[in-house]
Amino acid sequence: MTQLAGGAEIPTQELETKAALLGVACGLGAALFWALGFVATRHALKIGFQPVDLLMHRFLWSGLAFLPVVLRAGIGNLCGIGWGRGLALMVLGGPVMAIISYTGFLFVPLGHGSVIQPSCATLGALLLAAAFLKERISPSRLVGALVIVGGLVVIGAESISQIGASGVQGDLIFVLTGLMFAGFGTLLRFWRVSAFSATAVINVLSLALLPVYVATGGLARLAAIGWPENALQALAQGILAGPAALYLFAASIQILGVARAAIFPAIVPALTVLVGWLVLGEPPTGLQAAGLVTVLTGFYLAQRQR
């Protein structure tokens, strides 16, 4: 029991349930924002954006917004995280991982990245949580993870049949970025870095890439595309798929642990199918719908305590 200031007591189990629901809500929010980012990426690359342009939108605006926060908290130790840890988090969960991921979409369709990257992030995080953080992986979560992977395979079955030499290269890129993000989540938990601090530091460190972007003619390319499309990508990449998703995912890790939070990237493909249907007018095929149901079933199993 937990006693409040007024003398009332709240059962510990009730508090744990509320915390778990908050963690699930954060994880679902992050997954939805990532799905929106995938759909926006598909649209952007079709109309002439380059991967570096999307990278700029993802980190520049939020980096400028967080800069006063980091300066006030202390640039010398990066909000208490430290430069070594901050740089490691930036590589695994920031612009380095993002530019590699965007490049993968030049080789394969959207369906590949939205399936392979989240599934590898989920499996990698489960393995790292068990091996390095000694988190217990319950039988239900293990079965749920396997069911999710099965659903992802069903969703990606149609696009996988079209893989060529370049497709294999693109798929390996998404395997790499998925594992990188698994490492990012594990380090957050291991170092006990707060969600806000991690989000702020990663985005501020990313500002160092701006001079290189300007020197290579990036601003002229953005101007040629027009401000409405740039505003759309600033919202989708710079707010939703960037700092908002990163913060919510980091918060879910702190509340639920790496093993349970690792499930949320795995539902991104299913949400991408739904968002693509609603936003782009592309209804899911029979295989995609079957995969969606399978993924959601696995998600339910993986969130159970036993």
Side-chain angles (χ1 to χ4, degrees), residues 57-272:
H57 276 306
R58 182 159 184 171
F59 292 101
L60 172 61
W61 313 117
S62 53
L64 292 174
F66 282 120
L67 182 58
V69 176
V70 174
L71 291 176
R72 185 165 55 249
I75 193 68
N77 63 357
L78 287 180
C79 298
I81 294 177
W83 279 88
R85 294 180 177 183
L87 291 173
L89 294 175
M90 187 183 78
V91 170
L92 294 176
V96 178
M97 187 273 291
I99 191 65
I100 296 174
S101 178
Y102 290 144
T103 302
F105 287 113
L106 298 176
F107 298 98
V108 293
L110 177 65
H112 285 254
S114 65
V115 169
I116 296 172
Q117 181 171 307
S119 62
C120 288
T122 294
L123 295 179
L126 285 171
L127 292 174
L128 289 173
F132 295 103
L133 302 181
K134 308 305 180 185
E135 290 190 9
R136 177 181 174 272
I137 309 300
S138 68
S140 177
R141 292 177 192 170
L142 183 59
V143 171
L146 294 176
V147 172
I148 287 173
V149 172
L152 299 178
V153 171
V154 173
I155 292 176
E158 293 172 321
S159 57
I160 289 175
S161 65
Q162 303 173 4
I163 292 180
S166 63
V168 174
Q169 180 179 354
D171 286 349
L172 290 177
I173 287 176
F174 290 121
V175 170
L176 172 62
T177 53
L179 294 177
M180 289 175 70
F181 200 72
F184 168 77
T186 302
L187 289 180
L188 278 181
R189 181 74 169 184
F190 182 71
W191 288 334
R192 301 184 183 279
V193 176
S194 73
F196 183 83
S197 296
T199 304
V201 165
I202 288 173
N203 284 277
V204 169
L205 289 179
S206 301
L207 291 176
L209 302 176
L210 179 59
V212 178
Y213 180 75
V214 174
T216 55
L219 295 182
R221 190 165 52 248
L222 293 183
I225 294 176
W227 73 265
E229 293 293 345
N230 279 286
L232 175 63
Q233 294 305 318
L235 172 63
Q237 309 294 345
I239 298 178
L240 300 182
L246 191 64
Y247 175 84
L248 290 174
F249 182 64
S252 72
I253 289 175
Q254 293 175 335
I255 297 172
L256 302 175
V258 174
R260 293 185 71 187
I263 302 302
F264 296 111
I267 66 172
V268 172
L271 291 176
T272 302

